[in-house]
């Protein structure tokens, strides 16, 4: 099991934070086009250092048909970008290895992501640790298999130990 798969498994544990359909959107929640620093009680403090992060979809009852995500590590250099759930049609569309940011896009042509419960979408490894506060995820777009836009509160970024 890869490191990114182990992280996704951690989100499946009963004590893991799962968004409620009644949860209110806070200032920390990022909608499509907005940034998220990944602040969450289950995660390390923002001043903790990390050299690897994963963008995770915590749930998507109707699955994920397509997503575009940008990860920025201010002051960091990306050394690896790894696909998660949708490997068949995953591409780096901007930035990537050698840069401090990457934009990735994936499409589910095979029906692999018809139902999602805490799945890693992309993993990013950095050359050197940076403060978690300097790592941002921007959900550019995400749609389910019915063509509906997925709520941003279902997506988050987490540090990988």
């Amino acid at each position: 099991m890869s490191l990114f798969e182990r992280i996704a498994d951690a989100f499946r544990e009963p004590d893991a934070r799962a968004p409620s359909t009644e949860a209110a959107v806070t200032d920390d929640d990022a909608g499509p086009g907005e940034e998220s620093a990944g602040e969450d009680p289950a995660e390390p403090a923002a001043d903790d250092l990390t050299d690897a992060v994963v963008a995770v979809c915590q749930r998507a009852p109707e699955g994920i048909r397509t997503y575009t995500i940008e990860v920025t590590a201010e002051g960091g250099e990306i050394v690896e970008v790894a696909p998660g759930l949708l490997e068949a049609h995953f591409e780096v569309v901007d930035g990537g290895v050698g840069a401090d940011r990457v934009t990735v896009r994936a499409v589910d042509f095979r029906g692999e992501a018809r139902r999602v419960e805490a799945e890693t979408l992309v993993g990013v490894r950095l050359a050197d640790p940076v403060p978690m506060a300097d790592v941002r995820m921007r959900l550019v777009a995400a749609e389910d298999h019915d063509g509906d836009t997925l709520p941003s509160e279902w997506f988050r970024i987490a540090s990988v130990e």
Side-chain angles (χ1 to χ4, degrees):
M1 180 181 290
S2 77
L3 182 60
F4 298 132
E5 290 169 329
R6 289 194 314 246
I7 292 298
D9 282 346
F11 285 96
R12 290 188 187 102
E13 294 177 9
D15 294 332
R17 177 180 175 249
S20 163
T21 55
E22 298 173 11
V25 176
T26 66
D27 290 340
D28 291 337
D29 291 328
E34 298 176 18
E35 292 184 354
S36 169
E39 295 287 333
D40 187 276
E43 290 184 37
D47 60 348
D48 285 349
L49 297 178
T50 186
D51 66 352
V53 295
V54 289
V56 176
C57 179
Q58 292 180 287
R59 69 181 183 131
E62 300 303 321
I64 298 175
R65 186 176 56 96
T66 182
Y67 68 82
T68 303
I69 293 175
E70 179 182 71
V71 176
T72 302
E74 191 173 314
E77 178 186 344
I78 296 171
V79 294
E80 179 184 3
V81 178
L85 176 65
L86 300 176
E87 295 181 46
H89 189 76
F90 174 90
E91 63 182 336
V92 173
V93 294
D94 193 25
V97 174
D100 66 349
R101 68 180 176 80
V102 63
T103 303
V104 298
R105 173 175 49 212
V107 179
D108 184 8
F109 287 124
R110 298 184 192 171
E112 299 165 293
R114 284 261 174 219
R115 183 167 178 80
V116 173
E117 293 181 23
E119 295 289 344
T120 298
L121 302 177
V122 62
V124 176
R125 187 167 305 280
L126 306 170
D128 296 302
V130 299
M132 188 60 187
D134 292 346
V135 179
R136 299 273 186 251
M137 178 189 83
R138 184 171 71 97
L139 178 63
V140 177
E143 290 184 356
D144 65 17
H145 282 274
D146 290 337
D148 296 326
T149 299
L150 295 172
S152 62
E153 58 268 16
W154 291 355
F155 296 82
R156 61 182 284 170
I157 192 164
S159 177
V160 179
E161 292 184 24

